[in-house]
Amino acid sequence: MNAYNKSPNSLRLHVARWVVPVSRPPIENGAIATFEGKILGVGPASELRASYPGEIKDYGDSILCPALINTHSHLELSPLKRRLSPGGSFVDWVRALIENRDLIRPEEWEPAIYQAIKEMQENGIIAVGDVGNLDIIPLFSSRKDGAWPFRGVFFQELVCPIPNGAEEEIPLSAPFVNGKITEPMDIWSPSFHYAFSAHAPYSVAPQILKTIKAWDQSHGMPFPIHVAESEEEIEFLQGGQGPLRELLKEKGHWPLNYDIPKASPVRYLETLGLLDRHTVCVHCVQVDRDDISILAKTGAGVCLCPRSNIFLGVGVPPVEELHASGIPLALGTDSLASNDRLSIFAEMASLSKLAPGLPPEAIFRAGTYGGAKALGISEELGSLASGKAATFLALESGPIGNKDILEFLVHEGYKELGNLVIG
Ligand SMILES: [Zn+2]
């Protein structure tokens, strides 16, 4: 991918057959005026030429649109690409993931993560909400060699077995000291933040879920958590039975004194007071009408990972209903342990097949503005508007009609490796 970054301090007018700002309808023969790394204006080229008499960069039959946001990834799992097979049960996959993760050789991390970063960049991704249990990605992102290109947030994920009894017996993960999360180390760049996430409602004790949420909240950070990904999760939270119970027992985490929530994952999180507009519920495949109304009422967002859901065979999220209820949607690739690509354009194409009733505008919005909003970076990224970062994608489209522009992005975007433009 080539970055257009010549004399970034000059006033420049980027002109193309189509500009798709996301915050407003597509503009035919549109333009983006940029100056000193910021967007000054977006509109018809004829109007902007008069207001911003700068250097003109003409992209011809191209689409200029926001760079994409991968709201949910696990880059540290990149060495597992094509090592796990699709189609088994969810719990079998978790078991295989744990086993294979332990088999990763130290020398495998770096090339696999470099390759994963490159793939995301080539597919127009500018920011990530990356989740991990190790310090590999925080260390990667703090390197001074320019290897880390993304903005967004790294979430240190906590998997804390549900307690057997006394709170102090909880085997806590590294960032915890006496049941409280410690402050993260100061090793990241100013545009890449650090926060905490909880793995899932079934794998983290309720008190710890609350502590993580409270830390994220007090630091102005979003709180992501895998929610309602599989039928097995529903079975366990509703009745304490099923293959997840077996897995917890197998790992020595079976909670003797655990109060089964007897509720859906969404209702359980609501009961704990964890749902608000800064909570990002990842997956939400197995949600019913009640769950959808709770999500809508609390303002919690949903990050869809359609290709991961297909890989794992966990079902199809009720996307049209989520959208119709006004729930903010974002898109994520999840990891290369449950996906063979790290492309938000590919997620868009898959989502449109899974949810044919969802308008292409909503799908494209989920992969751009929806993701930026979910990660708390929408003042800078996610749409093209004055004051935002002058960073966008230029995709060659050839001649294309007005009504097809968003269809083209959603269905064909993954075929066009656009250039990331830094104006
Ligand atoms: Zn995940």
Side-chain angles (χ1 to χ4, degrees):
M1 177 166 296
N2 303 316
Y4 178 69
N5 196 19
K6 209 173 112 197
S7 53
N9 295 329
S10 58
L11 176 62
R12 191 174 290 133
L13 205 57
H14 305 264
V15 176
R17 177 68 192 275
W18 288 101
V19 172
V20 178
V22 174
S23 46
R24 54 195 273 200
I27 305 162
E28 189 166 11
N29 297 318
I32 306 168
T34 63
F35 183 63
E36 293 189 335
K38 295 273 182 204
I39 294 176
L40 292 184
V42 178
S46 53
E47 288 175 21
L48 263 67
R49 275 178 206 272
S51 315
Y52 302 104
E55 173 199 343
I56 291 176
K57 163 83 177 158
D58 194 338
Y59 297 80
D61 274 337
S62 290
I63 301 169
L64 304 185
C65 64
L68 307 179
I69 315 289
N70 188 355
T71 303
H72 184 71
S73 62
H74 303 260
L75 276 167
E76 70 180 31
L77 296 178
S78 299
L80 296 181
K81 186 174 185 179
R82 300 210 174 90
R83 287 203 199 163
L84 303 184
S85 0
S89 81
F90 175 72
V91 171
D92 287 345
W93 175 80
V94 175
R95 199 175 271 119
L97 173 66
I98 295 168
E99 282 165 14
N100 280 273
R101 196 178 51 187
D102 293 343
L103 297 175
I104 297 173
R105 295 189 306 277
E107 66 272 21
E108 290 182 293
W109 296 109
E110 183 142 331
I113 290 169
Y114 264 120
Q115 184 56 39
I117 289 172
K118 185 165 168 273
E119 184 182 354
M120 287 214 262
Q121 275 191 294
E122 285 176 350
N123 286 283
I125 292 168
I126 186 73
V128 294
D130 194 62
V131 175
N133 306 108
L134 309 171
D135 61 1
I136 292 173
I137 299 305
L139 291 172
F140 228 91
S141 67
S142 66
R143 284 189 190 177
K144 300 279 187 275
D145 61 1
W148 185 258
F150 302 123
R151 306 182 206 188
V153 189
F154 175 77
F155 297 99
Q156 181 77 49
E157 182 185 66
L158 300 171
V159 184
C160 301
I162 290 160
N164 281 337
E167 190 81 353
E168 55 272 22
E169 286 174 17
I170 302 170
L172 299 172
S173 295
F176 277 106
V177 173
N178 297 327
K180 289 205 167 120
I181 300 173
T182 57
E183 297 300 309
M185 294 176 292
D186 185 21
I187 54 169
W188 45 94
S189 76
S191 54
F192 193 62
H193 306 286
Y194 190 104
F196 292 93
S197 69
H199 174 253
Y202 60 83
S203 56
V204 181
Q207 274 312 318
I208 311 257
L209 287 170
K210 288 184 185 178
T211 312
I212 299 168
K213 172 67 182 173
W215 189 97
D216 286 337
Q217 199 164 26
S218 66
H219 289 75
M221 288 289 148
F223 168 67
I225 177 168
H226 299 99
V227 179
E229 184 173 2
S230 67
E231 285 179 351
E232 289 92 327
E233 178 178 341
I234 307 299
E235 188 181 11
F236 178 72
L237 287 185
Q238 291 280 8
Q241 298 298 323
L244 263 182
R245 173 184 163 135
E246 295 310 312
L247 181 70
L248 289 168
K249 276 172 85 171
E250 195 180 299
K251 300 291 168 198
H253 297 161
W254 172 241
L256 293 177
N257 301 325
Y258 175 52
D259 284 333
I260 302 299
K262 295 185 181 150
S264 73
V266 169
R267 186 168 287 286
Y268 173 50
L269 294 181
E270 187 211 15
T271 311
L272 294 176
L274 302 181
L275 297 181
D276 60 32
R277 61 196 178 85
H278 300 295
T279 295
V280 183
C281 298
V282 180
H283 295 304
C284 287
V285 175
Q286 300 292 336
V287 288
D288 61 19
R289 273 175 186 282
D290 284 348
D291 296 327
I292 293 172
S293 20
I294 291 169
L295 291 167
K297 185 181 76 185
T298 57
V302 170
C303 176
L304 302 163
C305 304
R307 290 174 62 83
S308 171
N309 299 156
I310 294 166
F311 182 99
L312 295 177
V314 289
V316 177
V319 184
E320 285 103 331
E321 289 86 342
L322 291 166
H323 173 64
S325 304
I327 292 162
L329 300 179
L331 277 174
T333 58
D334 220 330
S335 78
L336 286 172
S338 64
N339 201 340
D340 59 354
R341 300 187 63 178
L342 296 174
S343 162
I344 290 300
F345 274 130
E347 298 297 329
M348 290 182 190
S350 295
L351 184 61
S352 75
K353 287 199 186 93
L354 291 182
L358 198 63
E361 295 89 315
I363 296 176
F364 193 66
R365 188 182 172 86
T368 52
Y369 184 78
K373 196 83 184 151
L375 295 180
I377 51 175
S378 61
E379 283 189 7
E380 201 188 356
L381 296 166
S383 61
L384 304 178
S386 58
K388 293 206 175 192
T391 304
F392 46 88
L393 288 181
L395 287 97
E396 276 185 37
S397 60
I400 191 166
N402 184 9
K403 71 179 173 50
D404 302 324
I405 195 79
L406 282 151
E407 296 263 1
F408 174 86
L409 285 171
V410 165
H411 296 290
E412 311 286 331
Y414 72 94
K415 296 178 189 165
E416 308 290 329
L417 297 184
N419 281 335
L420 184 70
V421 179
I422 301 165

